[in-house]
Amino acid sequence: MTENSFVLTAYCANRPGIVAAVSKVIFEAGGNIADLQQFDDPDSGQFFSRVVFGAADAPLTEGQVRGLLSPIMERFGMTWSLRAQNARRRVLLMASRFDHCLADLLYRWRMGELNMEVAGIVSNYPRETYPNLSFGDIPFHHLPVTKATKAEQEEKLSRLIADEKVDLVVLARYMQILSEEMSSRLSGRCINIHHSFLPGFKGAKPYHQAYERGVKLIGATAHYVTSDLDEGPIIEQDTERVSHRDSAAEFVRKGRDIERRVLARAVRAHLEDRVLLNGMRTIVFPE
Amino acid sequence: MTENSFVLTAYCANRPGIVAAVSKVIFEAGGNIADLQQFDDPDSGQFFSRVVFGAADAPLTEGQVRGLLSPIMERFGMTWSLRAQNARRRVLLMASRFDHCLADLLYRWRMGELNMEVAGIVSNYPRETYPNLSFGDIPFHHLPVTKATKAEQEEKLSRLIADEKVDLVVLARYMQILSEEMSSRLSGRCINIHHSFLPGFKGAKPYHQAYERGVKLIGATAHYVTSDLDEGPIIEQDTERVSHRDSAAEFVRKGRDIERRVLARAVRAHLEDRVLLNGMRTIVFPE
Amino acid sequence: MTENSFVLTAYCANRPGIVAAVSKVIFEAGGNIADLQQFDDPDSGQFFSRVVFGAADAPLTEGQVRGLLSPIMERFGMTWSLRAQNARRRVLLMASRFDHCLADLLYRWRMGELNMEVAGIVSNYPRETYPNLSFGDIPFHHLPVTKATKAEQEEKLSRLIADEKVDLVVLARYMQILSEEMSSRLSGRCINIHHSFLPGFKGAKPYHQAYERGVKLIGATAHYVTSDLDEGPIIEQDTERVSHRDSAAEFVRKGRDIERRVLARAVRAHLEDRVLLNGMRTIVFPE
Amino acid sequence: MTENSFVLTAYCANRPGIVAAVSKVIFEAGGNIADLQQFDDPDSGQFFSRVVFGAADAPLTEGQVRGLLSPIMERFGMTWSLRAQNARRRVLLMASRFDHCLADLLYRWRMGELNMEVAGIVSNYPRETYPNLSFGDIPFHHLPVTKATKAEQEEKLSRLIADEKVDLVVLARYMQILSEEMSSRLSGRCINIHHSFLPGFKGAKPYHQAYERGVKLIGATAHYVTSDLDEGPIIEQDTERVSHRDSAAEFVRKGRDIERRVLARAVRAHLEDRVLLNGMRTIVFPE
């Protein structure tokens, strides 16, 4: 991640000449491509790409680059986004009683693994739930949810997202289901971790379901939230071996490790603009 | 696996003194325990164990051992089985058009990885389907199945199983669904490989289902066949990473590797008496 | 882990009747075996076992059990240890500048994954190095080490270990090499995490060595410390995939995840008496 | 893999405008880029790329494409190779007594997983060593090697490679060490599978070395052969878990599975022009 470099993601209906046109503009703007990844989906006929480029000599401003790219993007009918590579997205972390994913994301953020600003932490549990977590300057919002208060609290959440200019909401084992409306509003910018290898064991208590079924591996799934519960586009999954010696409680314990690494990878990929939506699937360009 | 050694598997309602009683009998019979594994299921209150023992000095006959164990087994109300460790189970391999699992099992058998006699190969495709597979002396049975002939062919299959004293039937990507009756009759002695990570993607074309859902890992599951399709007790599972670059056809290719190793491990575990049924789950004592 | 249960680990030269004798004593003492694992090493001719047992009816005291087991242990010439299962070992955690393993162990300890008391934290860096870690009541000891002060500081460390009745020392990325004398004194009760897949890349900067060699997987190794650097008995190892796109710095980042899970598993196994030394190798009875 | 498509691999000192220039030529030639992967090595300052492109409309001949690319390649000082994607490389498979890798490669080739022609099979063991392998029309060459005959047999091997226009030699557990001269001559076109996770356990009997050291994972490594034994650039590696219950013989058995999949992946990657040499390391563009 250099000082003066940019990430371009773009997709459009595939046709010859896209790479040539885009790389020409970047070159003529005085840019140097550091990384280019592309994917042609044979099913949908769509072309997807992610380009990282820096200034070859003289520094580039985002405005300049945007101006130069615009015509070419328009010509190919591209949906695109441009971002300075060192710009930090503002992220809202939401948790409930279990804090392993929250703790892990905070740790990785402080280690410099996650290029973000933490805009706030929201929990339906009070601050005392996390006596050993240091939140530093991060604002903590206690938004307890009951059937009666749910609508009102989502209202508050929406305002918070707007006020704090939140780019991404991460449900780090937040155990309340967002309303359909809320889910739609956050489409493509809300990542959830589900504690099963989807599509197996949707809904509540997936480790207990897995235990009952007698599986030999358990897993976790990070996905974009949609109004269709546990059906959103999958960003990352992983599994780990269990045996007959593991009780459902052991599944839960082993699962924590899977959940935290799967969620961390998904959030990192999103923050680095490596995830593109392709219908109900995702493209995740590798690091 | 020594010449004169035995494998005992046994289960019963748990109570104190079982290990003491069993190990005492073995010791007094002149046996030496080479391996003992046990599992107390806190849910069902059942005790499961697998004991491997050899003759400490004078050779033991199976009859002797059986006679000595019987009273103790009866006392604890145990369901048990005893087998000379080098006795080879008779196995019937069933396949359809895709032969990767069949080829792999034959290869491992010849390498000495699978302690079995291959009692026969059954396919609903003719012998010419497998021009590069050497079957040696193994009888090949072509049993083509149509809706009309299914009952009749299962009849033949049953006779074959009886005549050939088949201990285990392995559905090595056999793409016909066994009838409920047949499934019940083979309960606990018929292993199937399903090309998904169950319980995800049951039924037909699981890789295509997985591709449509946009999963990031694919898997395979070896399980005992029951009359409830793809719901039998799971013996072994594994997964492998896929990406957006993988088409459904690539899922199929990568899946072959998972299927063959998952099935081989399950068959091996069964042949070594390391799999015990625990309701709809299995206990698989590790190698 | 029940209130009134015990873990017995024992090893001796193998001979018939050990399991029978031990299980008989436990039964007669009013115990009920909850788990029994054993291993006969064909190379060394040694028998190793770990038995977990609880009181069937009336509660058992450690003294009682010890008294009942002693004669039998003597008879077989067994080296043995007995521990109440809920007794917590006293552990000293040692770290340097990088705190990912320290943070992870503390987190798991608070979650109840590690059955221990943290007797103290020792670092050659000052407390301010860890602004976001909550140490609660755990005493922190800053023992900076230079060539000149090393002997003196190890002296202090030894006293600390004695005073605090430390059972286990964990080098959680502690970057100072212990003296031969210190290593010997802590034999079998000091676990180190080395950031490579041993025996590859011993010594300093293993990720950089790995990068130079162009490996496709990186790993970490938890082992008992011996006076022979990076040569101690291995308890646990794991690996993860890297690619040509990963710089040495990325190896370091990805490695943190491997290190913390490998160390945590090794410490947990030790705390649960599942690790037995077998010459320069270990037996690790599975959970 | 379409009928009329090409794979271009190229590398040179990195500088701005390479992608723009190459993609422009391909576009103007009437080509459509189906896949483009690149890597800028920050250490060496080299740019590496692999481009797959097809004819957008009118068919392209290799001659045409080569003519159009030449000037641009020359301008950037590129080392490059162009190949019709469906052109099959001619591969010589070499084995010794153990045939698991040989059997696996043949199986995958027949399944269409490996885009190659098998130019021949060479073994220092006679044909009878492989009674259950079907070689079909593939010429088999028995070249037994003793100290006395080694030079002479390598002479024959060289002639065979020349006569049969062999593009790639695969040492599929061929247990003879090639001479320095032979290794050099085959530089970059001879792949070996070593049965350890290099750089651990070089040389003979790596599984026995691994067993002695008490590792908890075993591995295999596919690499290009160089005159420096077991030090060639690594293409692919993998590992699998072992336990104290596994003897050295079990390491060998489990290792076979690792070896065959690691070698198959490496050969496939080479055949698809996805491997580029970068000094003593490799770039392996993902499938």
Side-chain angles (χ1 to χ4, degrees):
Chain A
M1 190 163 44
T2 11
E3 203 75 349
N4 190 223
S5 63
F6 298 90
V7 186
L8 167 71
T9 57
Y11 63 91
C12 63
N14 194 13
R15 60 188 242 216
I18 303 177
V19 174
V22 171
S23 54
K24 179 166 178 272
V25 170
I26 291 171
F27 176 58
E28 291 176 351
N32 188 17
I33 294 175
D35 191 26
L36 187 158
Q37 298 192 69
Q38 70 161 73
F39 175 61
D40 290 8
D41 184 352
D43 289 354
S44 66
Q46 294 280 303
F47 166 91
F48 299 86
S49 74
R50 178 184 185 269
V51 188
V52 180
F53 58 95
D57 304 300
L60 297 168
T61 70
E62 196 175 319
Q64 269 178 300
V65 175
R66 205 172 281 280
L68 288 159
L69 284 169
S70 266
I72 212 82
M73 293 294 135
E74 208 159 308
R75 172 142 71 90
F76 285 99
M78 279 188 157
T79 306
W80 61 297
S81 100
L82 181 79
R83 223 167 46 86
Q85 200 173 13
N86 58 7
R88 308 192 145 210
R89 284 222 177 69
R90 291 183 58 75
V91 178
L92 188 68
L93 303 176
M94 297 183 68
S96 292
R97 191 152 59 88
F98 301 120
D99 65 3
H100 52 284
C101 286
L102 177 62
D104 189 64
L105 291 172
L106 289 173
Y107 187 82
R108 290 178 193 271
W109 167 61
R110 283 171 174 144
M111 290 297 285
E113 294 187 16
L114 299 172
N115 185 38
M116 65 183 183
E117 282 169 15
V118 183
I121 294 166
V122 166
S123 176
N124 54 333
Y125 282 73
R127 176 65 183 91
E128 308 87 79
T129 313
Y130 319 104
N132 291 305
L133 289 191
S134 153
F135 292 160
D137 295 336
I138 309 167
F140 178 86
H141 308 272
H142 179 210
L143 295 184
V145 176
T146 64
K147 236 179 190 169
T149 63
K150 181 160 180 167
E152 184 193 340
Q153 296 296 53
E154 285 207 345
E155 189 59 43
K156 278 191 205 162
L157 181 60
S158 289
R159 265 203 310 274
L160 186 61
I161 290 169
D163 293 350
E164 291 289 339
K165 298 182 194 337
V166 167
D167 297 302
L168 176 69
V169 174
V170 177
L171 306 185
R173 289 299 304 272
Y174 179 71
M175 303 308 282
Q176 296 292 322
I177 297 169
L178 299 185
S179 68
E180 255 196 69
E181 205 206 330
M182 193 74 194
S183 300
S184 303
R185 205 179 310 149
L186 295 177
S187 171
R189 53 190 186 115
C190 179
I191 297 175
N192 182 47
I193 179 76
H194 183 73
H195 39 311
S196 86
F197 184 76
L198 289 175
F201 312 124
K202 292 173 203 171
K205 292 205 158 258
Y207 291 126
H208 292 79
Q209 293 181 52
Y211 175 78
E212 288 306 323
R213 181 60 186 90
V215 294
K216 299 300 183 190
L217 296 172
I218 52 170
T221 304
H223 62 92
Y224 286 115
V225 169
T226 59
S227 56
D228 205 351
L229 191 66
D230 300 335
E231 293 285 0
I234 294 169
I235 306 169
E236 171 67 351
Q237 298 186 292
D238 210 346
T239 56
E240 212 157 283
R241 198 156 278 274
V242 289
S243 86
H244 62 272
R245 296 173 66 93
D246 292 305
S247 62
E250 292 296 290
F251 280 27
V252 170
R253 174 179 67 81
K254 289 193 172 179
R256 281 198 293 265
D257 274 33
I258 317 176
E259 292 162 38
R260 59 186 201 173
R261 72 171 178 261
V262 165
L263 181 59
R265 281 186 206 141
V267 169
R268 185 175 154 96
H270 180 97
L271 293 174
E272 295 177 352
D273 298 278
R274 292 191 282 100
V275 190
L276 275 78
L277 277 168
N278 182 18
M280 284 311 290
R281 298 200 296 269
T282 62
I283 286 142
V284 184
F285 289 118
E287 303 191 285
Chain B
M1 190 163 43
T2 12
E3 204 75 349
N4 189 222
S5 62
F6 299 89
V7 187
L8 167 71
T9 57
Y11 63 91
C12 63
N14 194 13
R15 61 187 240 216
I18 304 177
V19 174
V22 172
S23 54
K24 180 166 178 268
V25 170
I26 291 170
F27 175 59
E28 290 175 353
N32 188 16
I33 293 176
D35 191 27
L36 186 157
Q37 297 192 68
Q38 70 161 74
F39 174 62
D40 290 9
D41 185 351
D43 289 354
S44 66
Q46 293 280 304
F47 166 90
F48 299 86
S49 74
R50 177 184 187 268
V51 188
V52 181
F53 56 97
D57 304 301
L60 298 167
T61 70
E62 196 175 320
Q64 268 178 299
V65 174
R66 205 173 280 280
L68 288 159
L69 282 170
S70 266
I72 212 81
M73 292 293 135
E74 207 159 309
R75 171 141 70 91
F76 285 99
M78 279 186 156
T79 307
W80 62 296
S81 101
L82 182 80
R83 222 167 46 87
Q85 200 173 15
N86 58 8
R88 310 194 143 211
R89 286 222 176 69
R90 291 185 57 76
V91 178
L92 188 68
L93 303 176
M94 297 183 66
S96 291
R97 191 153 58 88
F98 302 120
D99 64 4
H100 52 285
C101 285
L102 177 61
D104 188 64
L105 290 172
L106 289 173
Y107 187 80
R108 290 179 193 271
W109 167 62
R110 283 170 175 144
M111 289 297 285
E113 295 187 15
L114 299 172
N115 185 38
M116 64 183 185
E117 282 170 14
V118 183
I121 295 167
V122 166
S123 176
N124 54 332
Y125 281 74
R127 177 65 183 92
E128 310 86 80
T129 314
Y130 319 104
N132 292 302
L133 290 191
S134 153
F135 292 157
D137 294 338
I138 309 166
F140 178 87
H141 309 271
H142 179 207
L143 297 182
V145 176
T146 64
K147 238 179 189 169
T149 63
K150 181 161 179 163
E152 182 194 340
Q153 297 295 54
E154 284 206 348
E155 190 58 44
K156 279 192 203 161
L157 182 59
S158 289
R159 266 205 308 274
L160 185 61
I161 289 170
D163 292 351
E164 292 289 339
K165 298 182 198 332
V166 167
D167 298 301
L168 176 70
V169 174
V170 177
L171 307 185
R173 292 297 306 272
Y174 179 70
M175 304 309 281
Q176 296 293 322
I177 297 169
L178 299 185
S179 69
E180 255 196 69
E181 204 206 329
M182 192 74 193
S183 299
S184 303
R185 204 180 310 151
L186 295 177
S187 173
R189 52 190 186 115
C190 178
I191 296 175
N192 182 47
I193 179 77
H194 182 72
H195 40 313
S196 86
F197 184 77
L198 289 175
F201 312 124
K202 293 171 202 171
K205 293 205 157 257
Y207 290 126
H208 292 79
Q209 292 181 52
Y211 175 78
E212 288 305 323
R213 181 61 186 90
V215 296
K216 299 299 181 188
L217 297 170
I218 53 170
T221 304
H223 62 92
Y224 286 116
V225 169
T226 59
S227 56
D228 204 351
L229 191 67
D230 300 334
E231 293 286 358
I234 294 169
I235 305 169
E236 171 67 348
Q237 299 187 289
D238 210 348
T239 55
E240 212 159 285
R241 198 155 278 274
V242 290
S243 85
H244 61 271
R245 296 172 68 95
D246 292 306
S247 62
E250 292 297 289
F251 280 25
V252 170
R253 175 179 66 81
K254 289 192 170 179
R256 282 197 293 263
D257 273 33
I258 317 177
E259 293 162 37
R260 60 186 200 172
R261 72 171 178 261
V262 165
L263 181 59
R265 281 185 206 143
V267 170
R268 184 174 156 96
H270 180 98
L271 292 174
E272 295 177 353
D273 299 278
R274 293 191 284 98
V275 190
L276 276 79
L277 276 168
N278 182 18
M280 285 309 290
R281 299 200 294 270
T282 62
I283 286 143
V284 184
F285 289 118
E287 303 190 285
Chain C
M1 190 162 45
T2 10
E3 204 77 348
N4 190 225
S5 62
F6 299 90
V7 186
L8 167 72
T9 57
Y11 62 91
C12 62
N14 195 13
R15 60 186 241 217
I18 304 177
V19 175
V22 172
S23 55
K24 180 166 178 273
V25 171
I26 291 171
F27 176 59
E28 291 176 352
N32 189 15
I33 293 176
D35 191 27
L36 188 157
Q37 298 192 68
Q38 70 161 73
F39 175 61
D40 290 8
D41 185 352
D43 289 355
S44 66
Q46 293 281 304
F47 166 90
F48 300 85
S49 75
R50 178 185 184 269
V51 188
V52 180
F53 58 96
D57 303 302
L60 297 168
T61 69
E62 196 175 319
Q64 269 177 297
V65 174
R66 204 172 281 279
L68 289 159
L69 284 170
S70 266
I72 211 82
M73 292 294 135
E74 208 159 307
R75 171 142 71 92
F76 286 99
M78 278 187 157
T79 306
W80 61 295
S81 99
L82 181 81
R83 222 166 47 85
Q85 200 173 17
N86 58 7
R88 309 193 143 210
R89 285 222 177 69
R90 292 183 57 75
V91 178
L92 187 69
L93 303 176
M94 297 183 67
S96 292
R97 192 151 59 88
F98 301 120
D99 66 2
H100 52 284
C101 286
L102 177 61
D104 188 64
L105 290 173
L106 289 174
Y107 187 82
R108 290 179 193 271
W109 167 60
R110 284 172 174 142
M111 289 297 285
E113 294 187 15
L114 299 172
N115 185 37
M116 64 182 184
E117 283 170 15
V118 183
I121 295 167
V122 166
S123 175
N124 54 332
Y125 281 74
R127 176 65 182 89
E128 308 87 78
T129 314
Y130 319 103
N132 292 304
L133 290 191
S134 153
F135 292 158
D137 294 337
I138 309 167
F140 177 87
H141 308 273
H142 179 209
L143 296 183
V145 177
T146 63
K147 238 180 189 168
T149 64
K150 181 159 180 168
E152 183 193 341
Q153 297 296 53
E154 285 206 346
E155 189 59 43
K156 278 190 205 164
L157 182 59
S158 289
R159 266 203 308 275
L160 185 61
I161 290 170
D163 292 350
E164 292 289 339
K165 299 181 196 331
V166 167
D167 298 302
L168 176 69
V169 175
V170 177
L171 307 185
R173 289 300 304 272
Y174 179 70
M175 303 308 282
Q176 296 291 323
I177 297 169
L178 298 185
S179 68
E180 255 196 69
E181 204 207 329
M182 192 76 194
S183 299
S184 303
R185 204 179 311 150
L186 295 176
S187 173
R189 51 188 186 117
C190 178
I191 297 175
N192 182 48
I193 179 76
H194 183 72
H195 39 311
S196 86
F197 184 75
L198 288 175
F201 311 125
K202 292 172 203 171
K205 292 204 158 259
Y207 290 125
H208 292 78
Q209 293 181 52
Y211 175 78
E212 288 304 324
R213 181 61 186 90
V215 294
K216 299 301 182 188
L217 296 172
I218 53 170
T221 304
H223 62 91
Y224 286 115
V225 169
T226 58
S227 56
D228 204 352
L229 191 67
D230 300 334
E231 293 286 1
I234 294 169
I235 306 169
E236 171 67 350
Q237 298 186 291
D238 210 347
T239 55
E240 212 157 284
R241 197 155 279 274
V242 290
S243 85
H244 62 270
R245 296 173 66 93
D246 291 305
S247 62
E250 291 297 288
F251 280 27
V252 170
R253 174 179 68 80
K254 288 192 171 180
R256 282 197 293 264
D257 274 32
I258 317 176
E259 292 163 38
R260 59 186 201 171
R261 71 171 179 262
V262 166
L263 180 59
R265 281 185 206 141
V267 169
R268 185 176 155 94
H270 179 97
L271 293 174
E272 296 177 352
D273 298 278
R274 292 191 283 97
V275 190
L276 275 78
L277 277 168
N278 182 17
M280 284 310 289
R281 299 200 295 269
T282 62
I283 286 142
V284 185
F285 289 118
E287 303 190 285
Chain D
M1 190 162 45
T2 12
E3 204 76 349
N4 189 223
S5 62
F6 298 90
V7 187
L8 167 70
T9 57
Y11 62 92
C12 62
N14 195 13
R15 61 188 240 216
I18 304 176
V19 175
V22 172
S23 54
K24 181 167 179 271
V25 170
I26 291 170
F27 176 58
E28 290 176 354
N32 189 16
I33 294 176
D35 191 26
L36 186 157
Q37 297 192 67
Q38 69 160 73
F39 175 61
D40 290 7
D41 185 351
D43 289 355
S44 67
Q46 293 280 304
F47 166 92
F48 300 85
S49 75
R50 177 184 186 270
V51 189
V52 180
F53 57 95
D57 304 301
L60 297 167
T61 69
E62 195 174 320
Q64 267 178 300
V65 175
R66 206 172 279 280
L68 288 159
L69 283 170
S70 267
I72 212 81
M73 293 293 135
E74 206 159 310
R75 171 141 72 91
F76 286 99
M78 279 186 156
T79 307
W80 61 295
S81 100
L82 182 79
R83 223 167 46 87
Q85 200 174 15
N86 59 7
R88 309 194 144 211
R89 286 223 176 69
R90 292 183 57 76
V91 178
L92 187 69
L93 304 176
M94 297 183 67
S96 293
R97 190 152 59 89
F98 301 120
D99 65 3
H100 52 284
C101 285
L102 176 62
D104 188 64
L105 290 173
L106 289 173
Y107 186 81
R108 291 179 192 272
W109 167 62
R110 283 169 176 145
M111 289 297 285
E113 294 187 16
L114 299 172
N115 185 38
M116 64 183 185
E117 283 169 15
V118 183
I121 294 168
V122 166
S123 176
N124 53 332
Y125 282 73
R127 177 64 183 92
E128 307 87 79
T129 314
Y130 320 103
N132 291 303
L133 290 191
S134 153
F135 292 158
D137 294 337
I138 310 167
F140 178 86
H141 308 272
H142 178 208
L143 296 183
V145 176
T146 64
K147 235 176 190 172
T149 63
K150 182 160 178 163
E152 183 194 339
Q153 296 296 55
E154 284 206 349
E155 188 61 43
K156 278 192 203 161
L157 182 60
S158 289
R159 266 205 308 275
L160 185 62
I161 289 170
D163 291 351
E164 291 290 339
K165 295 182 199 335
V166 167
D167 297 303
L168 176 70
V169 174
V170 177
L171 307 185
R173 292 298 306 271
Y174 179 70
M175 303 308 282
Q176 296 292 322
I177 297 170
L178 299 185
S179 68
E180 255 196 70
E181 204 205 331
M182 192 73 193
S183 299
S184 303
R185 204 180 310 149
L186 294 176
S187 173
R189 52 190 185 114
C190 178
I191 296 175
N192 182 47
I193 180 76
H194 182 73
H195 39 315
S196 86
F197 184 77
L198 289 175
F201 312 123
K202 294 173 202 172
K205 293 206 157 257
Y207 290 126
H208 292 78
Q209 293 181 51
Y211 175 77
E212 288 304 325
R213 181 61 186 90
V215 295
K216 299 300 181 188
L217 296 171
I218 53 170
T221 305
H223 62 92
Y224 286 116
V225 169
T226 59
S227 56
D228 203 352
L229 190 67
D230 299 335
E231 293 286 358
I234 294 169
I235 305 169
E236 171 67 348
Q237 298 186 291
D238 210 347
T239 56
E240 212 159 283
R241 198 156 277 275
V242 290
S243 85
H244 62 271
R245 297 173 66 94
D246 292 305
S247 62
E250 290 297 288
F251 280 26
V252 170
R253 175 179 66 81
K254 289 192 171 180
R256 283 198 292 265
D257 274 32
I258 318 176
E259 292 162 37
R260 59 187 200 172
R261 71 171 179 262
V262 165
L263 181 59
R265 282 186 206 141
V267 169
R268 183 174 156 97
H270 180 97
L271 293 174
E272 295 176 354
D273 299 278
R274 293 190 284 99
V275 191
L276 275 78
L277 277 168
N278 182 19
M280 284 310 289
R281 298 200 294 270
T282 62
I283 286 143
V284 184
F285 289 118
E287 303 190 285

